[in-house]
Amino acid sequence: MVVNNKVSTKYYSNSIMGFLVICLQLLPTLSFTSFLFGDSLVDAGNNDFLFTLSKADSPPYGIDYTPSGGRPTGRFTNGRTISDIIGEALGGRSSSPPFLAPNSLTSAIENGVNYASGSSGILLETGSLFIGRIPLEEQVKYFEQTRSYMVNRMGERDTSKLLRNAIFSLTIGSNDILNYIEPSIPFFGQEKVEPSLFQQFMVSNLTMQLKRLYELGGRKFVVVGVGPLGCIPFVRAIRLVSGHRCSVEVNELVQGYNKRLDLEVDHLNKEMGPEAVFVYANSYKIFLDIIQNYHHYGFQNGKDPCCGGYIPPFVCFKGKDANTSSNLCQDRSKYVFWDAYHPTEAANLIMANKLLDGDEAIASPINVRELYNHEL
């Protein structure tokens, strides 16, 4: 009888375990789908398919990007972008492919699509010096094409349901400000408008595209502010800022824009909530803290580019030999800046983690992980 009881117990235990496995397989999983809009900070290769002077399609770009085996992918850094890291943390099976890549729409339902383009901006004129780029308005039009494809595949009801839970991320505005501070790039004719008017023009145009994405089904938005551009190597060079100092004038221009954008995001939450959530991501605060306290974060250099230098045209490239190649730092994980404009993967990792789990000083009204888990 004792033996029979043991066998019986083992049988029922195995049956219960088998039942639990089947149940877990049948339970729906919360997948991560994202639609990314922006500039070179999050470009995953769209500019590789354009005739443009703004490209990251040659070594040493991508040298630390594991999925490609260290080959360039069109990302303007040595490894992963902030969007790549956040996607991985939230369970993304793979990064959202660039829209212009062949067959990118086939992964739209599972992974989403990346529409970001290096040198692009909120305003149509931004980046014209680089010739080819995809301005924000055009990126949103590309999303309309993606949505039409999804409706044809899934139907309107299922498409709306998927978009309701997807993350719409907008990381753009840096190039607009960089173009504004460069005297050779005219805006609105030959004369620049006043800074306050320029900032408001940026915000109003960005808001217009956010509302368009809402009309197309977006409900969860991450709107990333502009970082401390006065501290990047390119601006410090053209503004002749020495040491570890930053350009106060440029950072004040950025902060003025960010303040207006933060207020607009708050207004959108009041206007469209609770049907939609707009998160303002304070990248300025995060990145400035990294630059000012780089030793605390494990960096050895918080002002110089790992690749290239301060001398125009500020390029990062690998030639046939050392004499024809840009200078490249030995340990990329110890540098905040990859080139004269962009952070290293190490800096991106810190920023991504703070956006994922930071408090309201970093992301408001909720952080990115909370937005992902938020039920509408």
Side-chain angles (χ1 to χ4, degrees), residues 161-172:
K161 184 177 180 180
L162 186 149
L163 296 179
R164 185 179 184 85
N165 292 299
I167 300 290
F168 287 73
S169 175
L170 290 85
T171 306
I172 199 163

Side-chain angles (χ1 to χ4, degrees), residues 56-267:
D57 61 347
S58 60
Y61 285 95
I63 191 172
D64 298 307
Y65 189 69
T66 303
S68 70
R71 293 185 298 274
T73 61
R75 289 168 171 79
F76 288 75
T77 184
N78 60 304
R80 294 169 296 171
T81 66
I82 294 174
S83 299
D84 291 326
I85 298 166
I86 288 177
E88 290 175 12
L90 297 179
R93 296 174 184 174
S94 63
S95 297
S96 302
F99 175 80
L100 295 181
N103 304 316
S104 64
L105 291 180
T106 58
S107 67
I109 296 172
E110 183 177 356
N111 299 315
V113 180
N114 186 319
Y115 307 92
S117 171
S119 78
S120 69
I122 298 169
L123 308 180
L124 291 173
E125 303 92 338
T126 297
S128 58
L129 183 66
F130 294 92
I131 308 174
R133 77 275 185 214
I134 312 171
L136 180 59
E137 181 179 329
E138 191 172 344
Q139 292 180 31
V140 174
K141 289 180 180 178
Y142 282 157
F143 171 71
E144 292 184 39
Q145 295 180 28
T146 303
R147 190 186 189 284
S148 296
Y149 169 84
M150 295 170 68
V151 170
N152 289 334
R153 286 286 304 274
M154 304 169 58
E156 183 67 43
R157 181 178 178 181
D158 286 342
T159 297
S160 297
K161 184 177 180 180
L162 186 149
L163 296 179
R164 185 179 184 85
N165 292 299
I167 300 290
F168 287 73
S169 175
L170 290 85
T171 306
I172 199 163
S174 295
N175 291 320
D176 298 283
I177 292 176
L178 288 175
N179 281 192
Y180 181 81
I181 66 173
E182 293 174 359
S184 59
I185 307 296
F187 273 84
F188 310 106
Q190 297 299 315
E191 295 184 3
K192 294 180 182 178
V193 297
E194 290 296 318
S196 59
L197 183 59
F198 174 72
Q199 293 161 351
Q200 188 55 49
F201 193 64
M202 285 178 63
V203 172
S204 61
N205 276 268
L206 179 56
T207 302
M208 188 186 309
Q209 300 309 321
L210 283 169
K211 290 184 175 181
R212 179 59 185 149
L213 289 171
Y214 175 85
E215 292 172 355
L216 292 168
R219 293 297 181 267
K220 295 182 177 182
F221 296 90
V222 178
V223 185
V224 183
V226 174
L229 296 178
C231 302
I232 69 173
F234 169 75
V235 171
R236 294 176 65 252
I238 65 172
R239 291 291 173 125
L240 303 178
V241 179
S242 60
H244 284 270
R245 295 182 299 113
C246 303
S247 169
V248 175
E249 181 183 3
V250 174
N251 278 349
E252 286 179 347
L253 181 65
V254 172
Q255 287 177 294
Y257 165 73
N258 285 341
K259 184 177 180 180
R260 291 173 183 269
L261 180 61
D262 189 11
L263 290 173
E264 182 60 32
V265 169
D266 183 58
H267 175 73

